[in-house]
Structures are given as C-alpha cells and as structure tokens.
C-alpha cells in the first residue's frame, strides 16, 4: 500500500480555512458584523467632518476610534457568549461559560483594527 501524497503548506492552510470550526466562524462573524456597523458610523462621522459639517463636540475622531475598538470587544464578546455554546457531549442541554466570551474577545481585537484600517485607508479616500 502506498502512502498518500504529501500536501503542500498552502494546501494544508486552505483546507483548514475551508473547514474552520463552527465556534470560530461564529465568533469572527459576530465581531465582524459589530465592527462593520461601527466602522460605517465612523466613516459617516469622518466624511461629515471632512466636508465641513459643524457637529457638537468638535473633532472627536480619535475618541470615536478608541470607543469603536472597545465597543467591538464588549459587544462582540457578549454576542459570541450568546451564540457559541460549549460542546454538549451526550447531554441534551446547552451550557455556556466565560470561555465563549473569551473566544469572542480574542477574535474582536484584530477584527476591530482590520475594519478600521479598511475604513480609514481604503473607503475614506474614495468618499472624500
């Protein structure tokens, strides 16, 4: 019997990407939705300031960007806690622990920054 052919590094990573565990997909998806909504709000605020709108409070873009990241971490973790239960095993009930929220927290930080980078570096120059 011949051994199976060895897969390249790229083939292995592509297979891992296609078959990602459901909890990871849910955590990333929840954080991506929250970060996307807040990123669109940041973009609207930034474009309004760039076009000369007089908004109360003045220019608070730095504060809003920091608040964006914190809100993605908090709301994304909470949503992940709600939609990612622990594996059930043979029982019928679903359990949640803090680990579901921690999974969302660890997924939220890079996603929040990536969405802000896309909004600030890609979308803002197109709209201004």
């Amino acid at each position: 019997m011949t051994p199976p052919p060895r897969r390249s590094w790229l083939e292995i990573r592509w297979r891992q990407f296609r078959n990602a565990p459901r909890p990871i997909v849910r955590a990333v998806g929840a954080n991506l939705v929250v970060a996307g909504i807040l990123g669109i709000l940041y973009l609207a605020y930034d474009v309004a300031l760039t076009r000369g709108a007089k908004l109360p409070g003045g220019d608070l873009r730095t504060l809003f960007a920091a608040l964006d990241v914190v809100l993605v971490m908090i709301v994304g973790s909470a949503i992940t806690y709600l939609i990612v239960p622990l594996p059930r095993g043979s029982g019928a009930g679903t359990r949640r622990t803090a680990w579901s929220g921690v999974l969302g927290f660890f997924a939220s930080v890079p996603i929040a920054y990536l969405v802000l980078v896309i909004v600030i570096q890609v979308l803002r120059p197109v709209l201004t």
Side-chain angles (χ1 to χ4, degrees):
M1 182 150 95
T2 62
R6 291 188 51 86
R7 292 185 174 144
S8 71
W9 178 88
L10 183 61
E11 287 175 314
I12 293 169
R13 297 300 167 253
W14 180 247
R15 186 170 188 273
Q16 287 174 341
F17 175 74
R18 283 190 338 230
N19 301 314
R22 246 185 286 167
I24 303 299
V25 173
R26 289 178 181 174
V28 170
N31 285 302
L32 194 57
V33 168
V34 172
I37 291 169
L38 291 173
I40 290 170
L41 292 174
Y42 177 84
L43 183 63
Y45 180 73
D46 187 37
V47 169
L49 283 177
T50 304
R51 293 185 179 169
K54 300 292 182 198
L55 300 173
D59 188 357
L60 301 173
R61 285 181 268 208
T62 305
L63 176 67
F64 191 67
L67 186 64
D68 179 291
V69 173
V70 170
L71 282 174
V72 169
M73 289 171 22
I74 292 170
V75 176
S77 296
I79 292 174
T80 303
Y81 174 79
L82 294 174
I83 65 174
V84 179
L86 287 175
R88 284 189 272 176
S90 62
T94 13
R95 300 177 322 176
R96 288 177 176 80
T97 64
W99 287 109
S100 295
V102 171
L103 175 66
F105 178 78
F106 285 132
S108 67
V109 176
I111 290 173
Y113 283 114
L114 284 173
V115 168
L116 279 177
V117 166
I118 290 170
V119 164
I120 294 170
Q121 299 292 323
V122 177
L123 297 177
R124 184 174 65 179
V126 171
L127 296 175
T128 57

